[in-house]
């Protein structure tokens, strides 16, 4: 979806149009979830729920286009993720989650979902091995599709620093995938 259409949907959602909000959610949530998986792994769904709570709460204050909304949502997600990571340092998880509580997949969707999840999990696991600045830059630029200036705003850095981190991260990922020199962390 292009930024103009997303921006229109955001404006209508801000005015209370529930259908427009569902369009915004369906467009932004998968990318936001991918970004959060790169930051907080298995806790991405919980952090995404907190993020959407904040987005809904503060949507009336947002002004901007589709790209601005993606950046605003990414900023909120990043803050929630960092809060989550700080809480884990204070109160580390002591038990594994029971996977039996997950809802079953429908038969027709399970094969496609499994293939998507394998490639997504592999990509996110490789991104998670990058230094944090490179991982976040790649997640924002590639997964969320933010431009350099918007990604820089989310991270509180200069656009050139984000472009450099993104370039280095993508180069390192490429080397790891091809089995080149980037396989070691040196």
């Amino acid at each position: 979806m292009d930024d103009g259409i997303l921006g229109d949907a955001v404006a209508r959602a801000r005015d209370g149009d529930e259908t427009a909000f569902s369009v915004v959610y369906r467009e932004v949530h998968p990318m936001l979830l991918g970004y959060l998986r790169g930051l907080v792994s298995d806790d991405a769904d919980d952090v995404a729920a907190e993020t959407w709570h904040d987005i809904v709460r503060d949507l009336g204050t947002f002004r901007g286009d589709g790209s601005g909304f993606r950046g605003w949502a990414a900023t909120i997600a990043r803050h929630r993720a960092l809060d989550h990571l700080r809480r884990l340092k204070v109160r580390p998880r002591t038990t594994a989650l029971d996977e039996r509580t997950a809802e079953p997949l429908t038969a027709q969707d399970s094969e496609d979902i499994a293939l998507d999840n394998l490639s997504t999990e592999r990509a996110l696991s490789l991104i998670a091995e990058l230094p944090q600045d490179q991982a976040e830059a790649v997640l924002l630029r590639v997964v969320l599709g933010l431009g350099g200036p918007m990604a820089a705003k989310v991270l509180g850095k200069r656009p050139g620093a984000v472009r450099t981190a993104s370039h280095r991260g993508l180069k390192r990922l490429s080397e790891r995938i091809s089995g080149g020199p980037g396989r070691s962390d040196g």
Side-chain angles (χ1 to χ4, degrees):
M1 174 180 295
D2 83 9
D3 288 335
I5 294 171
L6 178 60
D8 290 341
V10 168
R12 291 192 321 274
R14 191 176 50 236
D15 292 336
D17 183 334
E18 291 180 21
T19 303
F21 183 81
S22 68
V23 168
V24 171
Y25 180 84
R26 281 192 310 268
E27 175 65 20
V28 176
H29 182 71
M31 293 177 277
L32 205 59
L33 194 56
Y35 173 58
L36 288 169
R37 279 193 183 117
L39 297 177
V40 297
S41 303
D42 294 336
D43 296 331
D45 289 318
D46 294 337
V47 176
E50 293 175 21
T51 300
W52 281 104
H53 172 270
D54 291 356
I55 289 170
V56 169
R57 183 193 64 207
D58 298 337
L59 186 59
T61 65
F62 173 76
R63 299 291 180 261
D65 61 4
S67 175
F69 181 80
R70 288 179 213 272
W72 182 68
T75 299
I76 293 170
R78 183 171 190 266
H79 289 150
R80 294 297 67 79
L82 294 175
D83 289 346
H84 177 77
L85 293 172
R86 279 192 288 273
R87 280 192 306 269
L88 285 180
K89 286 182 181 177
V90 173
R91 251 186 0 242
R93 181 178 290 153
T94 57
T95 60
L97 295 176
D98 186 359
E99 292 186 24
R100 291 176 290 165
T101 60
E103 292 182 28
L105 298 172
T106 61
Q108 65 195 36
D109 297 331
S110 59
E111 183 179 339
D112 290 336
I113 291 171
L115 291 174
D116 286 346
N117 285 344
L118 284 175
S119 59
T120 300
E121 284 178 31
R122 169 111 168 95
L124 291 174
S125 69
L126 288 172
I127 292 170
E129 294 173 6
L130 295 173
Q132 185 175 354
D133 66 325
Q134 293 176 15
E136 283 196 85
V138 168
L139 289 166
L140 288 170
R141 300 285 314 269
V142 177
V143 176
L144 272 171
L146 297 183
M150 184 58 69
K153 186 175 180 182
V154 170
L155 296 173
K157 296 183 176 187
R158 291 186 319 273
V162 173
R163 279 192 299 273
T164 300
S166 178
H167 174 75
R168 288 180 179 160
L170 290 171
K171 182 178 178 188
R172 188 176 258 183
L173 287 173
S174 175
E175 290 170 348
R176 285 186 178 164
I177 290 168
S178 68
R183 289 187 67 79
S184 70
D185 287 324

